[in-house]
Amino acid sequence: MSAKSNKGGAQAPLLGSKIRLNIEKLAIGGAGVARHEGMVVFVPQAAPNEEVLAEVTLVKKNFVEAKILEVLNPGASRRTPPCPVANVCGGCNWQHITEEQQLAQKEKLVFETLKKFNPSLEFEYLPIQKSPRSLRYRNRIQPKFQHGRFGFFARNSHDIVEINDCPITEEALTEKFAEVKTWAQQKNAKELLRLEMYISEEGLVRYGLITDDDDGIGFSQVNRFQNEDLVRTALDWAGDYEFKNVFDLYAGAGNFTFPLAQKYSSSTITGVELNPKLVERAKSKIKEKRMKYFLSDVENYMRRAQIGTEDLVLLDPPRAGASEYIMRALASAAPKRIIYISCHPVSLARDLNWFFAWAQKLGKSAKLARVQTFEMFPQTDHVETIAELRVDS
Ligand SMILES: C[S@@+](CC[C@H](N)C(=O)[O-])C[C@H]1O[C@@H](n2cnc3c(N)ncnc32)[C@H](O)[C@@H]1O
């Protein structure tokens, strides 16, 4: 077997070979990035600016993956993880990095991703907003149970890592672990049980099974402490206008819809969401005629939506982002403000590109006014971003 080289002439190391690597930075997905004879190497569980001895585990045309065998010279931000099972559990991938460095890397990753997709994009980039809590922040988790073992899936595996605690989860939930384990044990099931535990809006601990027929409570913001800041920022960026209509797309159970309705007290408010449980929950709280909630796919809704230049649109899509059709419809409708909340920088960058490309084709002047990252998911590589878009009608 000989080493392969790609189009750029970079030589891929052989599968199973041991190589010394200098980790330059972290990538989306959480792995460290290094170069070996011109080839990009992704190294999970690495910290920036460290030297490691790693074994090549995957060889592709344009990149390689390697696992750390030994940290030869640890980076300044490498630390002992606060959780004793962090190195094996599939839940958190950045516990071995200081919180300061996690924030710095997220801020940098989002900026670089937006610029990579659209180098000419200019925008005000505000410093990352820290989470009020970096541990004990999660209010919804999905543990597993099988053969008497209660815990989370191990990294890249369906083996269960047993836990008695989870330091990123709120204590109201972790205090119930023993009770939930006993409850699961009584089911006497041989197969894997997927569980869900969460703190309800009323502050009560709830738990149950996730099955093929019941996918649990559906989406909710898992970090209620930071969510307050995110909602406040979205309302602040939307501005002090008397919008005619306010649209909350991908509205969930109304996390933004109800605060928007409170702020814009004379606007009509429309929420659009695909999950029936979330729509039902939101509808049960609606008390005013000017508020409407639709059970619909956002793209389908946009085909009949009447969005005008005196309106506000907030969109908060899942990780896959929105779509070209939706971004084109927004560029064409030219609402007074668009607030885009994203949980994946790549889909955000792609959607922004569609938006600006279509604004240009339609002869409209559009700009990305400001962007800020929010630390919603400490100890992981996940990051939330808020962006304000303006388009002249
Ligand atoms: C990131 S969550 C945001 C929810 C809400 N804005 C919040 O803060 O709680 C995305 C939401 O979009 C919903 N969703 C996913 N795909 C959708 C689609 N094609 N059309 C409408 N809603 C969708 C999901 O069910 C989820 O509630």
Side-chain angles (χ1 to χ4, degrees), residues 219 221 250-252 255-256 273-275 278 296-298 316-318:
F219 183 86
Q221 296 285 354
Y250 306 93
N255 181 42
F256 292 100
E273 164 61 46
L274 194 57
N275 181 322
L278 299 178
S296 172
D297 165 57
V298 168
D316 181 14

Side-chain angles (χ1 to χ4, degrees), residues 195-229:
L195 312 168
E196 182 168 57
M197 298 180 70
Y198 62 94
I199 303 175
S200 72
E201 279 179 46
E202 303 77 39
L204 301 170
V205 172
R206 306 258 189 226
Y207 55 86
L209 288 180
I210 293 184
T211 62
D212 290 345
D213 303 326
D214 186 352
D215 60 358
I217 63 157
F219 183 86
S220 64
Q221 296 285 354
V222 294
N223 182 344
R224 65 190 165 104
F225 309 99
Q226 183 68 319
N227 182 51
E228 282 179 21
D229 286 341

